[in-house]
Amino acid sequence: MNEPIIEIVENIDTAKVYTELSDSKSGGICVFVGTVRDFTNNEPVISLEFEAYKSMAIKEMAKIIDQAAEKWPLNRVVMRHAVGLKKVKEPVVVIGVSSAHREACFEACRYMIDTLKETVPIWKKEMFKDKSVWVSAHP
Amino acid sequence: MNEPIIEIVENIDTAKVYTELSDSKSGGICVFVGTVRDFTNNEPVISLEFEAYKSMAIKEMAKIIDQAAEKWPLNRVVMRHAVGLKKVKEPVVVIGVSSAHREACFEACRYMIDTLKETVPIWKKEMFKDKSVWVSAHP
Amino acid sequence: MEIILFGITKDIVGKSSLNVSDLNQKPRSVGELISSLNAAYPEFTKLSSFAVAVNGEYASQEVDLKENDEIAIIPPVSGG
Amino acid sequence: MEIILFGITKDIVGKSSLNVSDLNQKPRSVGELISSLNAAYPEFTKLSSFAVAVNGEYASQEVDLKENDEIAIIPPVSGG
């Protein structure tokens, strides 16, 4: 596998991810983009605010990529998370994988976003019209 | 679901697919891009040539999207296949899906590329250094 | 009655369409068309499989062929 | 010994880091730190859970705390 691209950034440019994943040994590229949607639990969401423990988040993201690379033969990986205030439709996370065959890139991409949501120290606050809530903080 | 984008084109622009899939009701976007890789069965591939029965291919692509939309709640779908000569690393197919939650977009995207490869009348010829072969034509 | 050819079937026949008058007798059904093609072009029998589309839809062997149908031979697909 | 706070724990404490001198007694381990935080800030006990990271790695309760460790409180993560 090539050196993965792991970043925490203010703004995600979804257009450039294919250039980053493009690879002569790869027949398949799978990309997941998480975006801000306008409703949560039937309440209109105005925006999301993301906060990261940046140094540790980068380490945890690297671990997830290492785990995925042990499970599947991968060629290139991009894992990029946004921080700060994000409006509806804006991208908040991009995970992209290229591999020789499509099975590996689909499965690795799914594994990486699922695991990122469980282990990477990044927090999301949902901003509603008249309140804001840290997601999953309370039972 | 919004009206899907279904196209057979000479050249695929991967950068624009997110704009096409972006949606205020969607929290997840999954995109698969099939690309030309440089080896098949241990032989170096120079390029691939794609031929389509265009009118029927568009109809079959629409059927696949309808089937996926029955199985999963989808917001937007793009299904775009290239024809003509494609060099190593060039995109040959893009399938993108947006949905409220990530499960649906991953599963629908995978279903659509798997089914496209089985039913859509498009043919691929592999160009090697000194011969060319229509893929899957012979047992 | 024109028959559109794609992929390897175009290579076998050497052109991108075939007129039924090129075949021994005019096929009345998809099944008869398949038999006529196999007889006229033995290379067709060596393919993994091939399907016939009538008016842009996969057609089973029982389907009757009518004068203005758009008929196409669909060798094993390999898009994506 | 500074403790970095994130997300809801920052809101509970009202600042983005905490000095151990703000706590009743200096915690010698992750487990003692968790007890001290729960005692000093009862709102911590109402969280779904919270973890402690020492030098950027999740740390179990037995882990000892040393003077120059980078200690952070990790409330339930919710990225992606």
Side-chain angles (χ1 to χ4, degrees), chain A residues 115-131:
Chain A
T115 313
L116 180 147
K117 284 172 174 270
E118 287 169 6
T119 64
V120 176
I122 295 179
W123 298 273
K124 172 164 54 191
K125 196 185 222 172
E126 289 170 340
M127 320 296 255
F128 298 101
K129 189 160 165 267
D130 45 15
K131 63 172 178 183

Side-chain angles (χ1 to χ4, degrees), chain B residues 50-53 55-56 59-60 63 81 92-93 116-125 134-139, chain C residues 4-8 10-11 43 46-49 53 55-58 70 72-80:
Chain B
F50 288 89
E51 182 181 332
Y53 180 12
S55 59
M56 181 177 171
K59 278 204 263 185
E60 290 294 324
K63 282 182 199 170
H81 204 294
V92 302
V93 62
L116 179 146
K117 284 172 174 270
E118 287 169 8
T119 65
V120 176
I122 296 178
W123 298 272
K124 171 164 56 192
K125 197 185 221 173
W134 286 105
V135 176
S136 304
H138 292 103
Chain C
I4 317 170
L5 301 167
F6 293 101
I8 188 145
K10 193 168 67 178
D11 288 359
E43 289 292 319
K46 297 181 189 159
L47 300 177
S48 309
S49 67
N55 301 320
E57 299 284 346
Y58 286 105
E70 178 174 308
I73 307 304
I74 313 288
V77 303
S78 53

Side-chain angles (χ1 to χ4, degrees), chain C residues 1-5 16-20 23 33 71-73:
Chain C
M1 205 187 268
E2 284 276 310
I3 299 156
I4 317 170
L5 301 167
S16 63
S17 74
L18 194 62
N19 198 286
V20 279
L23 298 172
L33 172 62
I71 300 165
I73 307 304

Side-chain angles (χ1 to χ4, degrees), chain B residues 6-103:
Chain B
I6 305 172
E7 287 178 358
I8 292 178
V9 295
E10 289 296 321
N11 289 296
I12 287 179
D13 174 6
T14 48
K16 72 175 176 179
V17 69
Y18 289 107
T19 317
E20 294 168 335
L21 293 168
S22 181
D23 185 275
S24 62
K25 305 262 167 281
S26 295
I29 295 175
C30 182
V31 177
F32 174 78
V33 181
T35 51
V36 182
R37 69 195 177 98
D38 60 6
F39 264 79
T40 301
N41 303 324
N42 297 317
E43 266 193 281
V45 171
I46 310 299
S47 58
L48 297 180
E49 188 166 5
F50 288 89
E51 182 181 332
Y53 180 12
K54 209 165 166 175
S55 59
M56 181 177 171
I58 296 281
K59 278 204 263 185
E60 290 294 324
M61 288 156 88
K63 282 182 199 170
I64 294 170
I65 296 172
D66 287 347
Q67 288 155 12
E70 274 175 37
K71 290 173 195 273
W72 296 281
L74 309 179
N75 290 330
R76 290 177 191 267
V77 175
V78 172
M79 187 181 280
R80 185 175 281 132
H81 204 294
V83 287
L85 203 69
K86 300 295 152 203
K87 294 194 294 283
V88 170
K89 298 212 277 184
E90 283 192 284
V92 302
V93 62
V94 172
I95 296 184
V97 188
S98 62
S99 55
H101 302 286
R102 70 186 183 285
E103 291 75 8

